[in-house]
Structure formats: C-alpha cells, structure tokens
Amino acid sequence: MQKGKIGVSSDNLFPIIKKFLYSDHDIFLREIVSNAVDATQKLKTLAGRGETSVSVEHAKVRVSLDTDKKTITVSDNGIGMTADEIEKYINQIAFSGANEFLEKYESDANAIIGHFGLGFYSSFMVSNKVEIVTKSYKDGAEAVKWSCDGSPEYSIEEAERAEVGTDIIMYINEDSKEFLEKERLSGILNKYCKFLPVPVVFGKETEWKDGKQVETDKDNQINETNPAWTKAPVDLKDEDYASFYRKLYPMGDEPLFNIHLNVDYPFNLTGILYFPKLKNSIEVQKNKIQLYSNQVFVTDSVEGIVPEFLTLLHGVIDSPDIPLNVSRSYLQSDSNVKKISSHITKKVADRLHQLFKDSRADFEKKWDDLKIFIEYGMLTDDKFAERAMNFFLFKNTEGKYFTFEEYEKLIKENQTNKDNNLVYLYTSNLEEQYTFVQTAKDKGYDVLIMDDVLATPLLNKFEQQHSDKRFVRVDSDVVENLIQKEDEKDELSWDEKEELSPVFQAVCPEANGVNYLVDFKNLGESGQPIVITRNEFMRRMKDMGQLQGGMNFYGDLPESLNLVVNTAHPLVQKVLDSKDKKLGKAFETIKEDLNAKKQERDALEKAKEGKKDEEVPAAEKEKLEDLGKSIAELEKQKREKLTDFGKKNKLTKQLVDLALLANGMLKGEALDQFVRRSVELIK
Ligand code: ADP
Ligand code: MG
C-alpha cells in the first residue's frame, strides 16, 4: 500500500469543499454519475475506432444503495484508470491552478467555489470516506483501489475487479443520511440524469402483484439516452415534439409551437424551445427552461442567464459551452452564456417571423396567446423589439389583425390630428367602454383592443420611439376631442362655466376616492347629455404605478374623472332654464351686487397701479380690503345657492347618474335611489 498527500498546497480546501462547495449538496450524484458516463463514452469511442477489444455493447452506469453499510456506489464499464492515472487525474489535476487562486482569495470561499468545478471531489460534501476501485481498459492493467477519508491524505493499493471499469464508493456521513433514502436518491437522479446518453440503472423495476408492488428482475433504467433535442429535426414529427413536451412538463397545457435549435457555429448549441399558452400573469410562468450541458442537467432557474422574456418559454437548451459545476453568479457572467442567450433571442425572433410569413392565418389564431410573450420581449430587449416590428400585430374591435405598417396606412387618412400626429384609439375593455367605442366608430374611427397587463408600458414605448404617434384610450375624452382636427373653440365663457359648475358638482358622488372635474362642451344635440372621461396621462401613470407596485406617486393619487356636460343637449338646457327660474330675483340681485363690487374693486386696483404702497391713502386701502371681503362673501352665497339648486334638482342628479351608469359606476344605494327617482320621473 502506498500513501500520499493530495496535491494541494493548502490544507484548508477540504473543509471548504465539504461545507460550501455547492449550496445544493445533491449535485454530488450528478458529478459522479456524469464522470461514469464520460468514462463509458470514452471507451465507446475507442472501441469504435478499434483501439480496444473490450465490449461496450451493454455498458451501463449502475447506482446502488447499501443502507447497512451506509454507502452509495456508482459503477461503470468505462475506460477505468491505472494507478498512474489516478495520481494524475485525481490526486493532482483536480486542484491544478487552484493553488494560485487560493492564495489570492484565501478568505473568500465563495469565489474559490464559484470558479472551480471540483467534480469528483464534490463527493466529499456528503461522505466521510470515498473509495475508487478501478481497472483500466489498457492491456495488462491491474485493478487498484484508492481511498481517502476527507483529509488530504490518501492511500492506494492493489485490488480485485473482474471487469474493466470503475466503482466510486461513497461512505455517506451522518449529516447527509437523507441521501441514503431510496426516494430521495431517485428524485435526484430524475432531476439531473434523466437524459444522460448512457443507460443509468438504479434498482429494479417494480410491478403490481397480488395487490402490492414487487421488484422484478429487470434493471430500472432511469434515463432516456436519446432525447428529442439530440435528434435531427427531419427525424421528428409534430407528435414527437408534443410527447417530449409532456415528458418535460407532465402537467402542462399543450404548447403553441416549438423551435428546434441546432447550432454548431460559433458555439455548440442544441435544444427545443416551446411557446406555452401564456395567461395574463407573468410571474408564475417563469423559469421553465432547463439548461443542460452534454445532456447533464445544470439548472432550471435561468433568470439572469437567458434574457428576461425568454424565461417565459419552456423547453431545453443544451450546450457543452455552458459550464457545469460553477456557481450561479459565475454562470451569469460567463461570456459563452451571454453569447448563447443573445443568439437564442435572434433565433426566436427569426422563427416567429418565419411563422408569420409562412402562415399568417395560423399566426393570427395564436396571437392572443402569444402576444404577452412578444410584448414582454419588446419591452425588455431592444434588439428583439426591432425584429418584432415585422410580426407584432394590432387587433381591432372587429377582430382584424394588422402589422404596425398596415395599421398606419389604415388610419392615416382619418385619424391624423391638426398637429399632424397619427392618433391610435384603443380600448382596454370592450364591455366597460362600449359606449365610447361605439361613439368613436360612429365617427368613422377605428379602435384597437389593448387589454393586457403590458399594454400601457408598450404604448409608452411606441410613443417614445415615434414622436408623431399618440395612443388615446376611447374614454379619455369626448369623441370631438379624441382626435382634434382644428383648434378648439370655447363655447362657454369663463363666467358661465363658473356659474354652472357648482350645479353639477353638487350631485357628483363624493365617496370612494374619486375626484370629479366638471367641464362643458358642445357635443351636439344628439350627443349624450353628460359624458364621463378619464385623462389619458393620469390613467397611464396610475397603470404604470400599479405595474411597478409599491409606493408610487401617481399610483397613490385619487382617481380623477372629467364630467363633461353637453351644453347643446336639450335636457341640459332644461336644467339651465329651471335654474334661472328657481333662483329667480334673489339670485339676480346677488349677481348684480357682485358685479358692481367687482367693478368698484377693479377701478380701485387700477388707480393703485404704479403707486408705491405709502402713496396709497389709508382709507382707500381699507375700502379695498372691505370690498375683497364682501366679494368673497357674495361668491360664497352664490355658490351655495347654485349648489343648493343642483342638489334639489332631480334632473341634474338624474343626468349625472345616467352618465355614471353608462360607465358601470353606479352601484349600491346610489343605484337604488336612481331607480326610484326614475320611476317617479316617468309617472
Ligand atoms: P472532470 O470530469 O471535469 O474532468 P472530475 O473532478 O469530475 O473533473 O474528474 C477528474 C478526472 O478523474 C476525470 O477527468 C477523469 O479522468 C477521472 N475520472 C473520474 N471519474 C472517473 C470514472 N468513473 N472513470 C474513469 N475516470 C474517471
Ligand atoms: Mg466530472
């Protein structure tokens, strides 16, 4: 027996491996099994070239569990190792290059760990002792046994092994005894080894017999050695892609379509990506892509590794250029990984474009399910956004689809405003905004449906990119103002507006955190008497605030709505007439009084102009002050009278309620009162 010290200059590395190497201790099995697979494939290659006569036909990797001895053993029929090779590959190589690095980052275990793939040595995370019993394929090679108890000392001695290959025997430590459970172990194998290219066997297959599960004598192979992504696309039918999807996500809905990635330059990359049917909520759908390196599972939390929006896709990406046993942060900063991810983005965009060109009808059919994904991509990845302009679709209220270009042509004639801006009208909810949509259509406008969570940020982006385009929701203003074709003429004077506004303000609902701003507009005799609109800017700011969550200035503002009174409507006219009648002489007197006082004040102010303060006589100053007070008082009286009138006037209330009703905002007690009042008015 020969003893030696593992080639590390520092004695500290072993404790580091044991404690921190990976936060997921279960990857030890991946490392040991994939070494066994590598060794088997190497021997197959040699056999293929006729360089060995050792049979590889039935080569398998066998994982076995001995709960009495507390060992996990991974055995293979691979190339094996000679004593010299153990010295070279196990004792020395594992830490070559590590020394220098260790000196530099002595205190930072994470940096060390993230940088080095310590494949074989990860077994010490879970073991007190590890043994290698191996026999090389080389002619005349003797079997050897290497043993190490976790200190840098090891021993090596002669051993018995009938066949060429290697056993790795891990004596599982007390802290890791969970791995001695059969269920746990098969769970780990299923996670990391499901698609390894060499058969991996764990225990025996079971079957139901006499009402219970019993073991058969057939080996239980846990992996599929030729998963779909390793095959050529020509050899796969739609059904093959579908069944592979079910294998990956047994609970998933059928995907919309797939992309088979097959790249060998400038790096090696294979994989199949699926477009799932996306629901409106994005968060729950992330992180379904699985990353593999030579069919060895690396991770399925791909955030930071592939572009944000691609995390919505499902499927498999496999590249030998994806480093296997390194930390997440290292993976994220790896330049190969970055190249891979931008390449995938391009492929995805190309594929979508191609689908669009090949079968537009089919593409349109899938659009509603696809759009969240595409919109998300456009919002988070400028390169993708550029490409997506080829196939991004608008959908209008008639259910017709248009590309950006097509739609521009459609509305150019009719929806260009006086400032030469193209105005895109949209609704976020066809049901709720039905009246507005209808009014806009009656005017010959086209209305888009933009009803998903990403609509608002997307519109903002479009507007940023195209300064001559505006997106306006149909309920953001009265139809006359949605697309202003000529300068607005103010129909009511300031004084008239001031006098009318308290009448309607008086009957606006007060509660539930909504502010109403009364405005007046000539909407024609056949227009609605009152229209409620919501300011586009404020609404979008609120939308964005909600999307971002948390504290947000706009998000926290009360909602503010415009109550637009149609001055041309006969019923509004009726309110105005009855106001004059009802308030009568007394009101007139207040107004006259007010006017006289205002005139007096203005005259005094005028006389004061250009004079220094001390030049103005004290009596005059006093007079001005008095005037100010009585004007305020009169105005108050006037407002009170108007408010009082508005409150008592049933028609005013009725008109406002009708507008609220049309917007689905009349509820509860208010609705009940409205119904009663209506009945009364009809009687
Ligand atoms: P890597 O797999 O990245 O080379 P490892 O630490 O996992 O690093 O393994 C170190 C080396 O030990 C391997 O490259 C291989 O030469 C040798 N080795 C490990 N396991 C086996 C095995 N089961 N059969 C033959 N050689 C092995
Ligand atoms: Mg390895």
Side-chain angles (χ1 to χ4, degrees):
M1 174 143 83
Q2 183 199 330
K3 285 189 187 260
K5 213 170 165 208
I6 289 167
V8 206
S9 69
S10 162
D11 283 351
N12 299 333
L13 201 53
F14 258 161
I16 292 174
I17 294 171
K18 280 200 207 167
K19 284 220 173 65
F20 308 109
L21 185 54
Y22 303 100
S23 47
D24 282 345
H25 279 186
D26 58 8
I27 62 97
F28 81 93
L29 195 59
R30 173 187 80 184
E31 294 302 321
I32 300 304
V33 172
S34 63
N35 281 350
V37 167
D38 289 348
T40 311
Q41 285 189 308
K42 280 180 198 158
L43 192 63
K44 280 191 175 173
T45 311
L46 291 173
R49 290 203 218 118
E51 289 175 30
T52 177
S53 55
V54 179
S55 161
V56 285
E57 215 182 313
H58 301 291
K60 275 181 186 168
V61 173
R62 188 177 296 275
V63 179
S64 44
L65 184 63
D66 188 328
T67 41
D68 295 335
K69 288 198 186 125
K70 299 191 176 152
T71 58
I72 298 170
T73 301
V74 176
S75 307
D76 65 65
N77 318 115
I79 50 170
M81 285 179 274
T82 62
D84 285 349
E85 283 165 341
I86 291 192
E87 171 63 23
K88 198 163 152 202
Y89 297 131
I90 299 293
N91 296 340
Q92 298 298 334
I93 289 289
F95 295 118
S96 66
N99 289 345
E100 190 190 322
F101 194 81
L102 256 182
E103 274 159 31
K104 213 164 150 193
Y105 295 101
E106 211 161 5
S107 55
D108 188 354
N110 277 321
I112 301 165
I113 288 154
H115 231 84
F116 291 96
L118 300 174
F120 166 73
Y121 280 96
S122 66
S123 56
F124 284 96
M125 290 192 302
V126 297
S127 312
N128 292 324
K129 181 168 85 164
V130 178
E131 291 173 355
I132 306 173
V133 177
T134 180
K135 185 172 171 183
S136 166
Y137 78 99
K138 288 177 182 156
D139 288 340
E142 299 285 348
V144 285
K145 174 170 154 186
W146 176 94
S147 176
C148 178
D149 65 1
S151 68
E153 259 110 76
Y154 66 87
S155 67
I156 192 158
E157 60 195 293
E158 279 174 19
E160 282 299 313
R161 200 182 197 279
E163 286 174 13
V164 167
T166 304
D167 306 310
I168 308 287
I169 305 145
M170 292 166 276
Y171 293 80
I172 302 303
N173 64 33
E174 194 53 26
D175 289 346
S176 309
K177 57 175 184 241
E178 55 176 302
F179 298 113
L180 291 170
E181 282 161 32
K182 194 179 163 205
E183 294 303 304
R184 179 82 168 96
L185 218 50
S186 72
I188 301 171
L189 288 170
N190 186 51
K191 177 171 170 192
Y192 291 108
C193 306
K194 198 163 39 182
F195 299 117
L196 285 177
V198 170
V200 178
V201 165
F202 179 50
K204 299 287 176 194
E205 280 183 9
T206 55
E207 63 180 15
W208 279 98
K209 209 172 183 182
D210 303 329
K212 56 181 179 194
Q213 286 273 17
V214 290
E215 280 192 355
T216 62
D217 54 6
K218 258 184 85 188
D219 280 341
N220 173 38
Q221 180 176 333
I222 57 100
N223 60 331
E224 185 186 339
T225 53
N226 290 310
W229 83 82
T230 63
K231 296 176 187 162
V234 287
D235 295 334
L236 294 165
K237 298 193 186 61
D238 287 349
E239 174 46 31
D240 298 321
Y241 287 109
S243 75
F244 182 61
Y245 186 82
R246 282 194 297 275
K247 229 170 261 164
L248 293 174
Y249 315 103
M251 311 303 237
D253 284 347
E254 207 182 309
L256 296 170
F257 48 78
N258 64 271
I259 302 177
H260 197 136
L261 300 163
N262 211 330
V263 187
D264 40 34
Y265 183 83
F267 41 76
N268 237 299
L269 175 80
T270 50
I272 301 174
L273 294 177
Y274 293 91
F275 279 79
K277 277 193 182 131
L278 289 177
K279 308 282 165 336
N280 236 343
S281 131
I282 287 173
E283 283 312 315
V284 295
Q285 330 233 5
K286 278 188 182 168
N287 282 333
K288 289 281 177 65
I289 294 184
Q290 303 181 356
L291 232 50
Y292 287 77
S293 174
N294 279 328
Q295 294 174 241
V296 182
F297 176 84
V298 179
T299 181
D300 62 359
S301 66
V302 294
E303 220 143 335
I305 296 172
V306 305
E308 176 85 2
F309 75 105
L310 289 182
T311 61
L312 296 175
L313 294 182
H314 295 173
V316 168
I317 296 169
D318 187 349
S319 173
D321 297 318
I322 295 173
L324 188 58
N325 34 24
V326 296
S327 73
R328 245 195 105 59
S329 58
Y330 189 75
L331 204 55
Q332 288 174 1
S333 61
D334 186 83
S335 69
N336 275 329
V337 171
K338 282 191 181 141
K339 266 186 239 148
I340 287 172
S341 106
S342 76
H343 186 81
I344 297 171
T345 307
K346 184 177 174 313
K347 282 275 162 196
V348 168
D350 288 351
R351 171 87 169 129
L352 286 166
H353 193 191
Q354 185 206 338
L355 281 166
F356 172 74
K357 281 189 297 191
D358 288 355
S359 166
R360 175 153 178 176
D362 195 39
F363 190 82
E364 287 183 358
K365 230 183 271 156
K366 288 171 175 164
W367 176 257
D368 289 355
D369 290 314
L370 260 182
K371 66 175 175 181
I372 280 278
F373 169 82
I374 291 171
E375 290 174 357
Y376 197 35
M378 292 170 82
L379 283 169
T380 52
D381 189 312
D382 284 339
K383 272 250 155 61
F384 181 81
E386 225 173 84
R387 297 195 172 100
M389 288 317 273
N390 293 316
F391 49 79
F392 174 83
L393 293 179
F394 284 125
K395 180 184 178 181
N396 73 4
T397 50
E398 251 102 84
K400 286 209 187 92
Y401 294 88
F402 306 86
T403 64
F404 211 78
E405 241 179 69
E406 291 164 354
Y407 198 70
E408 186 170 338
K409 264 189 212 128
L410 180 83
I411 61 169
K412 186 139 198 109
E413 180 79 29
N414 207 16
Q415 294 181 211
T416 302
N417 72 9
K418 66 181 165 64
D419 301 319
N420 233 342
N421 289 325
L422 198 56
V423 181
Y424 293 67
L425 299 180
Y426 70 99
T427 169
S428 63
N429 189 324
L430 199 49
E431 288 257 292
E432 282 175 15
Q433 294 150 16
Y434 183 82
T435 325
F436 292 98
V437 171
Q438 215 42 51
T439 328
K441 279 199 199 164
D442 289 347
K443 220 167 150 79
Y445 297 153
D446 194 77
V447 180
L448 294 172
I449 298 182
M450 312 219 72
D451 58 357
D452 61 82
V453 283
L454 297 181
T456 302
L458 192 69
L459 302 183
N460 290 347
K461 192 180 166 97
F462 281 150
E463 287 178 344
Q464 276 159 22
Q465 284 171 341
H466 307 270
S467 56
D468 60 340
K469 296 186 176 22
R470 298 269 176 285
F471 286 82
V472 175
R473 204 165 92 176
V474 279
D475 62 344
S476 66
D477 211 329
V478 293
V479 73
E480 276 70 17
N481 288 356
L482 286 177
I483 304 173
Q484 283 194 355
K485 303 232 166 136
E486 53 205 71
D487 283 322
E488 217 182 322
K489 39 187 183 334
D490 233 354
E491 287 121 343
L492 284 189
S493 71
W494 175 260
D495 282 349
E496 285 170 311
K497 279 186 185 177
E498 201 197 7
E499 193 173 311
L500 281 179
S501 126
V503 175
F504 289 92
Q505 197 81 57
V507 287
C508 286
E510 266 162 19
N512 55 42
V514 184
N515 282 335
Y516 290 89
L517 297 169
V518 178
D519 198 5
F520 300 90
K521 193 123 274 152
N522 184 337
L523 302 177
E525 271 179 54
S526 58
Q528 295 289 325
I530 294 182
V531 183
I532 293 173
T533 63
R534 51 193 81 201
N535 181 276
E536 177 78 16
F537 173 77
M538 288 299 287
R539 200 212 73 245
R540 266 202 237 174
M541 282 316 205
K542 268 184 98 69
D543 283 356
M544 293 299 279
Q546 252 155 30
L547 214 58
Q548 282 148 11
M551 292 288 279
N552 178 285
F553 174 71
Y554 288 105
D556 289 343
L557 279 183
E559 188 168 19
S560 143
L561 299 176
N562 293 327
L563 192 92
V564 186
V565 179
N566 178 6
T567 48
H569 199 278
L571 285 172
V572 173
Q573 216 54 61
K574 205 168 155 187
V575 172
L576 301 187
D577 291 346
S578 71
K579 173 192 72 125
D580 294 338
K581 237 184 265 155
K582 193 101 199 174
L583 295 177
K585 194 75 203 129
F587 188 65
E588 282 304 314
T589 320
I590 294 178
K591 279 203 324 195
E592 277 159 22
D593 210 9
L594 192 59
N595 273 342
K597 291 239 156 59
K598 274 185 182 165
Q599 269 169 21
E600 204 176 335
R601 182 193 58 190
D602 292 349
L604 279 174
E605 290 282 5
K606 202 159 177 119
K608 232 176 76 180
E609 248 166 54
K611 277 188 199 163
K612 290 201 186 102
D613 195 44
E614 58 268 24
E615 292 168 2
V616 183
E620 233 166 80
K621 278 190 201 165
E622 220 168 276
K623 178 92 191 154
L624 250 177
E625 210 168 291
D626 287 348
L627 272 173
K629 273 187 201 149
S630 46
I631 287 172
E633 174 58 30
L634 283 167
E635 263 170 354
K636 192 169 150 239
Q637 282 178 26
K638 179 181 155 195
R639 227 177 13 250
E640 274 169 6
K641 284 223 177 310
L642 289 166
T643 305
D644 190 52
F645 164 77
K647 280 222 165 85
K648 285 189 182 133
N649 185 280
K650 282 192 190 137
L651 185 56
T652 321
K653 182 77 186 147
Q654 196 73 357
L655 292 179
V656 171
D657 278 0
L658 272 170
L660 289 168
L661 192 69
N663 282 276
M665 296 189 316
L666 198 64
K667 300 204 171 103
E669 197 189 341
L671 181 59
D672 181 59
Q673 281 171 3
F674 170 79
V675 174
R676 286 167 197 275
R677 204 180 321 114
S678 303
V679 174
E680 226 171 274
L681 285 171
I682 300 167
K683 264 200 300 206

